[in-house]
């Protein structure tokens, strides 16, 4: 079962520090919107897809992790077809998937602890301006990254339980239990954090 978005490995991407990876992700995301040629965007998508696979995630597991987001992109593409030309819709879809693959590659090659440390360091100037506590921002990001696979795992468990009882799968039927169990876990984690004085005072 998926317990972490991080994939253990020794690939080139694993060896690159997290801050350069985040900077490259930001630059790549900005650069994508200056490119509107489908062939170039397709090449960028293939390159980021291969980079994602180079983390050792595996094709089937890698696609399974991204399946909800890929479905969302497909849904947006279907809506855009009603509003935009097919070429504009294709360009938008290629941009989103290329960005998704690179973000997934960065996430798979970086531990939660490294993410938290990098974000905390990057937020220090904002802390000095009195806008936020850097440690709290890093902690928030770490919790989000930790909860993503947890929620996905809980969703699969509920889906299997429904199937075992012969109950048709309906998202509306699963949202209630999923949200309630997630909020209960969030409360327990918040209590543990406060008890240990982890959050900045």
């Amino acid at each position: 079962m998926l317990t972490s978005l991080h994939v253990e490995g020794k690939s080139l991407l694993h060896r690159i520090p997290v801050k350069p990876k985040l900077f490259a992700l930001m630059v790549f995301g900005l650069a994508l919107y200056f490119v509107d040629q489908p062939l170039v965007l397709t090449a960028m998508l293939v390159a980021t897809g291969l980079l994602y696979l180079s983390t050792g995630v595996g094709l089937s597991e890698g696609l399974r992790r991204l399946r909800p987001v890929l479905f969302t992109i497909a849904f947006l593409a279907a809506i855009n077809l009603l509003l935009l030309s097919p070429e504009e819709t294709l360009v938008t879809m290629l941009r989103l998937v290329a960005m998704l693959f690179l973000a997934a590659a960065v996430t798979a090659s970086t531990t939660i602890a490294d993410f938290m440390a990098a974000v905390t360091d990057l937020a220090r100037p904002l802390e000095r301006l009195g806008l936020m506590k850097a440690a709290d921002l890093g902690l928030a990001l770490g919790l989000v990254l930790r909860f993503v696979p947890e929620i996905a795992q809980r969703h699969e468990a509920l889906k299997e339980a429904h199937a075992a009882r012969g109950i048709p799968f309906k998202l509306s039927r699963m949202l209630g239990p999923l949200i309630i169990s997630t909020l209960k876990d969030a409360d327990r984690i918040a209590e543990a954090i406060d008890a240990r004085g982890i959050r900045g005072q």
Side-chain angles (χ1 to χ4, degrees), residues 45-96:
L45 184 152
V46 171
T48 54
L50 292 174
L51 190 63
Y52 179 39
L53 292 178
S54 76
T55 63
V57 68
L59 181 60
S60 60
E61 173 64 17
L63 290 177
R64 190 181 73 81
R65 290 179 174 212
L66 303 181
R67 186 170 53 193
V69 185
L70 290 172
F71 281 152
T72 302
I73 292 174
F75 175 76
L76 292 175
I79 297 298
N80 283 340
L81 278 174
L82 302 175
L83 307 172
L84 305 172
S85 69
E87 183 176 351
E88 289 174 316
T89 299
L90 177 62
V91 165
T92 300
M93 185 184 70
L94 290 173
R95 285 170 175 166
L96 290 174

Side-chain angles (χ1 to χ4, degrees), residues 18-19 111-124 138 141:
V18 61
K19 289 181 183 178
T111 64
I112 293 177
D114 287 343
F115 265 125
M116 291 175 63
V119 170
T120 300
D121 286 345
L122 292 172
R124 293 295 182 196
L141 177 67

Side-chain angles (χ1 to χ4, degrees), residues 101-143:
F101 283 162
L102 183 57
V106 171
T107 303
S109 62
T110 309
T111 64
I112 293 177
D114 287 343
F115 265 125
M116 291 175 63
V119 170
T120 300
D121 286 345
L122 292 172
R124 293 295 182 196
L126 297 177
E127 183 176 52
R128 285 192 284 270
L129 293 174
L131 297 177
M132 65 170 61
K133 291 189 178 296
D136 285 355
L137 180 61
L139 177 61
L141 177 67
L143 289 175

Side-chain angles (χ1 to χ4, degrees), residues 5-201:
L5 296 176
H6 176 249
V7 177
E8 292 290 342
K10 298 181 180 180
S11 69
L12 174 62
L13 206 56
H14 281 86
R15 295 194 295 270
I16 298 175
V18 61
K19 289 181 183 178
K21 286 190 285 193
L22 292 175
F23 180 74
L25 182 63
M26 180 186 69
V27 172
F28 182 78
L30 292 173
L32 276 176
Y33 289 92
F34 291 99
V35 180
D36 57 6
Q37 298 175 4
L39 285 177
V40 177
L41 287 169
T42 299
M44 297 171 79
L45 184 152
V46 171
T48 54
L50 292 174
L51 190 63
Y52 179 39
L53 292 178
S54 76
T55 63
V57 68
L59 181 60
S60 60
E61 173 64 17
L63 290 177
R64 190 181 73 81
R65 290 179 174 212
L66 303 181
R67 186 170 53 193
V69 185
L70 290 172
F71 281 152
T72 302
I73 292 174
F75 175 76
L76 292 175
I79 297 298
N80 283 340
L81 278 174
L82 302 175
L83 307 172
L84 305 172
S85 69
E87 183 176 351
E88 289 174 316
T89 299
L90 177 62
V91 165
T92 300
M93 185 184 70
L94 290 173
R95 285 170 175 166
L96 290 174
V97 177
M99 188 65 186
L100 171 64
F101 283 162
L102 183 57
V106 171
T107 303
S109 62
T110 309
T111 64
I112 293 177
D114 287 343
F115 265 125
M116 291 175 63
V119 170
T120 300
D121 286 345
L122 292 172
R124 293 295 182 196
L126 297 177
E127 183 176 52
R128 285 192 284 270
L129 293 174
L131 297 177
M132 65 170 61
K133 291 189 178 296
D136 285 355
L137 180 61
L139 177 61
L141 177 67
L143 289 175
V144 168
L145 293 175
R146 177 62 185 87
F147 263 102
V148 167
E150 186 75 24
I151 293 172
Q153 181 177 321
R154 190 171 289 127
H155 172 270
E156 289 298 322
L158 286 170
K159 189 175 178 180
E160 290 173 3
H162 277 67
R165 292 174 174 83
I167 302 174
F169 169 75
K170 286 186 178 180
L171 183 60
S172 58
R173 187 177 289 147
M174 297 177 65
L175 275 178
L178 187 62
I179 291 173
I180 290 171
S181 60
T182 302
L183 289 176
K184 285 182 178 179
D185 280 352
D187 283 340
R188 285 194 291 269
I189 290 174
E191 290 172 359
I193 289 172
D194 287 338
R196 290 166 175 77
I198 296 174
R199 286 189 291 188
Q201 303 296 324

